[in-house]
């Protein structure tokens, strides 16, 4: 499916999931060595002059653990801390998460032509999952590791669209993990992996040489 066709298809409502064993924010109390640690950054800020719109804002992301037809699904739901007052910068998140593969199953981008002409571009499970396969992309977290999956924000080149960018280079990644371990010193002995959210639609392909900081 082409980008243009999928972009038309995803103007749909975000579904409601039955959630079990939800991911929890990383802390010394929640950390468990047999689980995984997910690192992700999101820019919830309003972007002005985004494509044909006066402004646009990413407001929600949902990743769901596969298999997606399970009776009880495990989801990571990320929501903007404010729909009005949030800085245009990436915010860091770290979660204790059940090991496995997670697929993008929903997102919400608010778009506005004016203060009164407001709409939403919504990606849903119906548009992002076809025949049980992810169309939007996936990431994988294994037991006993810290995994960086990318920076998520908007692409405004043509029209407002979800986009995954990334830390560029080994030195920058080492510095990033150094800051992460300073904030969470109990993870210093946990290998940190550079393993981007894999997608052909919402981000470019990049593989970091020597992707593990031990």
């Amino acid at each position: 499916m082409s980008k243009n066709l999928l972009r038309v298809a995803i103007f749909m409502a975000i579904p409601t999931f039955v959630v079990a064993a939800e991911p929890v924010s990383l802390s010394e109390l929640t950390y468990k060595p047999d689980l995984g640690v997910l690192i992700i950054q999101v820019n919830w800020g309003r972007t002005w002059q985004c494509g044909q719109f006066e402004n646009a804002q990413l407001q929600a992301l949902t990743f769901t653990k596969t298999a997606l037809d399970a009776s009880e699904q495990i989801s990571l739901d990320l929501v903007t801390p404010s729909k009005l007052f949030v800085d245009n910068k990436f915010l860091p998140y770290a979660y204790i998460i059940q090991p496995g593969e997670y697929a993008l199953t929903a997102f919400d981008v608010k778009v506005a032509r004016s203060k009164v002409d407001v709409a939403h571009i919504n990606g849903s499970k119906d548009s992002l999952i076809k025949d049980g396969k992810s169309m939007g992309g996936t990431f994988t977290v294994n037991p006993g590791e810290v995994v960086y999956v990318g920076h998520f924000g908007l692409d405004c080149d043509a029209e407002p669209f979800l986009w995954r960018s990334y830390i560029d280079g080994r030195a920058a990644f080492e510095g990033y993990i150094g800051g992460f371990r300073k904030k969470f010193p109990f993870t210093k002995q946990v290998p940190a992996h550079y393993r981007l959210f894999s997608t052909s639609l919402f981000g470019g392909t990049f593989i970091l040489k020597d992707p593990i900081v031990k």
Side-chain angles (χ1 to χ4, degrees), residues 178 180-192 213-214:
F180 170 81
R181 288 174 171 170
K182 185 176 181 179
K183 183 175 181 180
F184 303 103
F186 53 91
T187 67
K188 285 183 178 179
Q189 304 305 315
V190 184
V213 177
K214 296 182 179 179

Side-chain angles (χ1 to χ4, degrees), residues 166-210:
Y166 49 83
I167 297 169
D168 189 0
R170 170 74 185 193
F173 182 55
E174 288 180 351
Y176 183 76
I177 293 302
F180 170 81
R181 288 174 171 170
K182 185 176 181 179
K183 183 175 181 180
F184 303 103
F186 53 91
T187 67
K188 285 183 178 179
Q189 304 305 315
V190 184
H193 295 249
Y194 188 107
R195 189 182 302 133
L196 292 180
F197 172 77
S198 178
T199 180
S200 60
L201 181 67
F202 298 111
T205 300
F206 180 79
I207 298 175
L208 182 67
K209 184 179 180 181
D210 192 13

Side-chain angles (χ1 to χ4, degrees), residues 13-15 17 68-69 73 105-106 123-130:
I14 296 177
F17 297 109
L68 295 168
D69 58 355
Q73 295 182 339
T105 50
S124 73
K125 187 177 178 183
D126 288 339
S127 60
L128 294 167
I129 306 297
K130 297 296 183 183

Side-chain angles (χ1 to χ4, degrees), residues 42-46 57 81-82 84-91:
V42 185
N43 187 341
W44 304 111
R46 190 176 300 171
Q57 181 187 17
S82 173
L84 293 176
F85 304 106
V86 60
D87 291 334
N88 189 14
K89 66 180 183 179
F90 285 99
L91 298 179

Side-chain angles (χ1 to χ4, degrees), residues 118-140:
V118 178
H120 288 262
I121 301 173
N122 292 332
S124 73
K125 187 177 178 183
D126 288 339
S127 60
L128 294 167
I129 306 297
K130 297 296 183 183
D131 299 323
K133 296 181 180 180
S134 172
M135 303 295 292
T138 62
F139 65 79
T140 301

